[in-house]
Amino acid sequence: MNNPQILLPLLMVVLLLPSCADRTREEVSQALPETVQESEPEPAPEAVPEGEEVAVLVTSAGKIVFRFYEEDAPQTVAQFKRLVTGYFYDGTTFHRVVPGMLIQGGDPLSRDNNPYNDGTGKADRLVPAEFSERPFRKGTVGLARGPDPDSGSCQFFICLNRMRQWDGQYTAFAEVIGGLAAAEEISRAQTNPKAVQQVRERPIREQVIKTIRLERRRL
């Protein structure tokens, strides 16, 4: 025989269980968004270009890459980069070549059909001499100039041998770190040794600087 005094409390417990379970589920469901909600990601730091800025010359003989001597020749490097950014050198030529010694280019007048004015052109401003203790050796890039040490402007040359007589006489502002073989090939371009002195070192077939662009590379 069932005891009513025992059954009554048990029945009340059974009746209360669903409401407790529902409340527990409701509390949990309300808490879940706060528990699993992902925090907003922090903004990524601004990307900084990696590597060192170099000049990449695309020539008739292939690519040549310059690394700059900014500490030794800051004004010359700034001038060269400014001209490159303005596409100043695109389509100019190496108008002077001497095997085992140098190739020289960057004259805006080398674009025209008059070979006799090559080597006389300038940019819109001159650069003061920035002579240093950098030796002129194979691969050194110097700023060409006239008799006045402060007459350099836009023309440059690539040294292809150790040239001690140029040390401290010309501004060394860069060095070739890639494509030196292309520079040497340009230096061997055929010239006319019987021509007048003014064009005797000018290649018969133009050695074109197609483009020069600045890039960042990890050296």
Side-chain angles (χ1 to χ4, degrees):
M1 185 173 177
N2 294 331
N3 188 339
Q5 292 181 345
I6 297 175
L7 290 175
L8 184 58
L10 289 175
L11 182 60
M12 293 179 66
V13 169
V14 172
L15 292 172
L16 288 171
L17 281 174
S19 63
C20 291
D22 290 343
R23 186 170 61 253
T24 301
R25 282 195 298 270
E26 182 180 357
E27 290 174 352
V28 170
S29 67
Q30 290 177 352
L32 276 177
E34 297 180 2
T35 303
V36 301
Q37 182 180 4
E38 296 182 359
S39 59
E40 185 177 352
E42 296 182 2
E46 184 178 352
V48 177
E50 294 185 351
E52 185 175 329
E53 194 168 47
V54 299
V56 180
L57 292 70
V58 178
T59 76
S60 301
K63 290 185 178 180
I64 304 174
V65 183
F66 290 175
R67 180 182 191 180
F68 297 108
Y69 296 149
E70 299 213 40
E71 293 185 359
D72 296 324
Q75 295 186 67
T76 305
V77 171
Q79 167 88 329
F80 185 84
K81 288 184 176 181
R82 181 180 69 88
L83 296 177
V84 167
T85 303
Y87 310 108
F88 179 91
Y89 292 110
D90 292 7
T92 60
T93 71
F94 286 103
H95 61 273
R96 183 186 177 207
V97 300
V98 183
M101 184 178 291
L102 63 79
I103 61 174
Q104 181 174 328
D107 184 348
L109 297 181
S110 65
R111 294 193 191 94
D112 63 26
N113 296 321
N114 180 9
Y116 297 98
N117 64 11
D118 290 0
T120 64
K122 293 180 174 61
D124 57 345
R125 67 181 70 162
L126 301 181
V127 184
E130 294 179 295
F131 301 151
S132 69
E133 296 181 358
R134 291 273 184 186
F136 274 87
R137 57 192 179 189
K138 192 172 185 178
T140 301
V141 183
L143 185 67
R145 64 172 179 82
D148 181 352
D150 298 327
S151 61
S153 174
C154 57
Q155 296 184 46
F156 60 91
F157 61 92
I158 299 175
C159 183
L160 297 177
N161 211 331
R162 179 70 177 100
M163 305 298 291
R164 297 181 186 277
Q165 64 269 36
W166 297 347
D167 294 354
Q169 301 298 314
Y170 293 88
T171 299
F173 71 93
E175 66 177 326
V176 175
I177 60 170
L180 192 56
E184 291 179 316
E185 181 179 339
I186 291 170
S187 77
R188 295 190 292 269
Q190 184 179 2
T191 57
N192 182 4
K194 295 182 179 180
V196 296
Q197 181 65 36
Q198 194 173 359
V199 294
R200 192 171 296 171
E201 296 171 340
R202 184 180 186 275
I204 295 174
R205 184 175 182 179
E206 288 188 341
Q207 303 299 306
V208 181
I209 301 172
K210 298 178 180 179
T211 63
I212 304 182
R213 297 292 182 268
L214 300 176
E215 297 180 6
R216 286 195 175 273
R217 295 187 177 184
R218 182 171 293 179
L219 305 179

